Amino acid sequence: MHLGHLHGALLNWKRLQDRYRCFFFIADWHALTSEYVHPDIIRESTYDIITDWISVGLDPEVSTFFVQSQIKEHAELFLIFSMFTPLAWLERNPTYKEQLAELRQKDVYTYGFLGYPVLQAADILMYKANGVPVGEDQAPHVELTREIARRFNHLYGKVFPVPDVLLTPTSKILGLDRRKMSKSYGNAIFLTDSDEEIDLKVSRMITDPQRARKSDPGDPAVCNVFSFHEIYSPPETVEDIRRDCPLAAIGCVECKRIMAASLKQGLEPIRARRRELESDMERVKAVVAEGNARSRAIARETMAQVREAVKI
Ligand code: SF4
């Protein structure tokens, strides 16, 4: 996972687990919709991602972590939902159209990829979720889940609550090249990066595009390096840069050096916890096994109600 995930989702999840009973899962069947040609990466990533979750402070004692493919009931609920979900609901989904355009290098004109939001509805409704934390771009998917819940309840009687969207505040953190941070763009700083990798990546970051020379005044408000400072540097450093950059009293090389130091210091507790977990992967596996068991028990209960409602 990278800093885009950390500030766009994980830290928000960490806050949510203090207020809600949370379920976090590895969507490995979903991953298969786009990675079906090279699926080995999916299994390899599972424990890696959960290790990141625990490292950033998601607490398996408080929340439940599970792996989607280990709870076969998700597939059954997906199948039942797919019987009454109109094709038009899926085809008009704006995220589907965007992803078709974005994933041009992969052939995702498949039945599974079109049906992705129906599986997502099964993932959410299986646990009778009241809220789903998503970014704005994912809100249409949750809307589809709400429609599926309403339609099921209308056809077979009320089984599911209609979940709300819990909008995740948008992170100001961008990738090294000022595009959205993404592994596939090659512009990401990962939670697992070494000090040397962080130094190198920060040195390559694009700053204020109008500032070509050190003697040009800069504008921190449009500079991605400054966004990192605001999160990771002490307030007095942030104020110094806010003052000095527009006066060309500090150069970008120096500014980046200070930011890289703050970033490494800020990430160190996460990286230390990660190193500790990496030396005890049995503990991570036990967390997943326990979460799978807890989730499976709930899923079985829900499916008993669903089968009763559908009379099948
Ligand atoms: Fe950005 Fe810092 Fe350069 Fe100003 S001095 S443009 S804040 S990197």
Side-chain angles (χ1 to χ4, degrees):
M1 292 210 142
H2 54 63
L3 293 183
H5 297 127
L6 180 67
H7 293 285
L10 299 181
L11 294 179
N12 185 47
W13 295 359
K14 197 176 154 196
R15 284 187 287 272
L16 290 174
Q17 76 177 356
D18 297 333
R19 295 177 47 206
Y20 298 90
R21 184 176 168 217
C22 293
F23 290 79
F24 301 112
F25 71 100
I26 300 291
D28 52 352
W29 277 335
H30 282 289
L32 207 50
T33 55
S34 56
E35 298 299 333
Y36 60 87
V37 178
H38 302 291
D40 33 324
I41 179 88
I42 301 172
R43 190 183 285 172
E44 279 167 28
S45 313
T46 296
Y47 290 111
D48 227 26
I49 294 172
I50 289 177
T51 307
D52 278 339
W53 289 355
I54 303 173
S55 306
V56 303
L58 295 183
D59 185 351
E61 300 286 324
V62 176
S63 302
T64 301
F65 301 170
F66 68 93
V67 178
Q68 181 188 35
S69 65
Q70 298 308 305
I71 318 295
K72 308 298 180 199
E73 285 79 0
H74 285 234
E76 186 182 355
L77 191 55
F78 166 53
L79 182 139
I80 291 175
F81 286 167
S82 67
M83 297 302 167
F84 63 77
T85 301
L87 263 183
W89 287 6
L90 302 174
E91 286 164 344
R92 74 172 184 223
N93 171 8
T95 320
Y96 171 67
K97 290 180 196 158
E98 273 165 35
Q99 292 209 321
L100 277 185
E102 243 177 60
L103 297 171
R104 266 193 306 257
Q105 71 282 22
K106 293 175 183 164
D107 180 6
V108 287
Y109 284 88
T110 58
Y111 164 66
F113 194 71
L114 179 68
Y116 182 115
V118 183
L119 180 56
Q120 218 166 27
D123 300 332
I124 296 166
L125 296 175
M126 185 69 84
Y127 303 93
K128 302 194 175 172
N130 301 109
V132 191
V134 288
E136 230 161 298
D137 56 332
Q138 289 285 312
H141 279 189
V142 182
E143 190 47 47
L144 197 79
T145 295
R146 289 162 56 83
E147 288 184 56
I148 290 174
R150 282 192 211 105
R151 187 155 183 146
F152 183 99
N153 292 343
H154 173 73
L155 289 169
Y156 309 114
K158 188 164 185 332
V159 170
F160 297 111
V162 178
D164 288 325
V165 169
L166 301 175
L167 266 193
T168 306
T170 314
S171 159
K172 278 173 75 186
I173 292 274
L174 295 173
L176 308 180
D177 54 3
R178 297 178 93 229
R179 289 190 292 170
K180 185 180 170 184
M181 192 177 281
S182 160
K183 187 179 178 186
S184 50
Y185 292 158
N187 65 1
I189 298 176
F190 295 96
L191 298 180
T192 47
D193 279 347
S194 65
D195 282 357
E196 294 70 28
E197 284 167 321
I198 290 179
D199 286 337
L200 184 68
K201 287 180 177 181
V202 170
S203 73
R204 284 171 36 210
M205 279 175 80
I206 295 180
T207 62
D208 172 0
Q210 302 300 320
R211 192 176 190 198
R213 284 176 298 270
K214 192 178 167 185
S215 54
D216 294 337
D219 181 0
V222 299
C223 178
N224 190 26
V225 175
F226 189 71
S227 302
F228 279 73
H229 271 300
E230 288 184 300
I231 295 172
Y232 288 99
S233 293
E236 55 280 11
T237 306
V238 176
E239 282 321 303
D240 287 350
I241 294 165
R242 200 194 302 278
R243 182 194 59 226
D244 292 345
C245 170
L247 302 171
I250 182 170
C252 293
V253 173
E254 172 66 359
C255 185
K256 286 177 172 179
R257 194 190 54 73
I258 300 169
M259 189 276 270
S262 303
L263 177 59
K264 287 181 285 190
Q265 198 180 2
L267 290 181
E268 189 42 35
I270 296 176
R271 295 192 294 175
R273 265 197 302 272
R274 204 178 199 290
R275 283 193 295 273
E276 200 184 303
L277 287 164
E278 276 169 356
S279 64
D280 186 10
M281 284 310 279
E282 289 310 310
R283 191 169 140 214
V284 177
K285 288 182 181 168
V287 161
V288 177
E290 160 71 21
N292 284 347
R294 251 188 274 166
S295 307
R296 197 172 292 120
I298 298 171
R300 284 189 179 149
E301 227 171 88
T302 302
M303 285 316 298
Q305 293 169 10
V306 167
R307 288 182 211 117
E308 194 47 42
V310 179
K311 310 257 181 297
I312 207 153

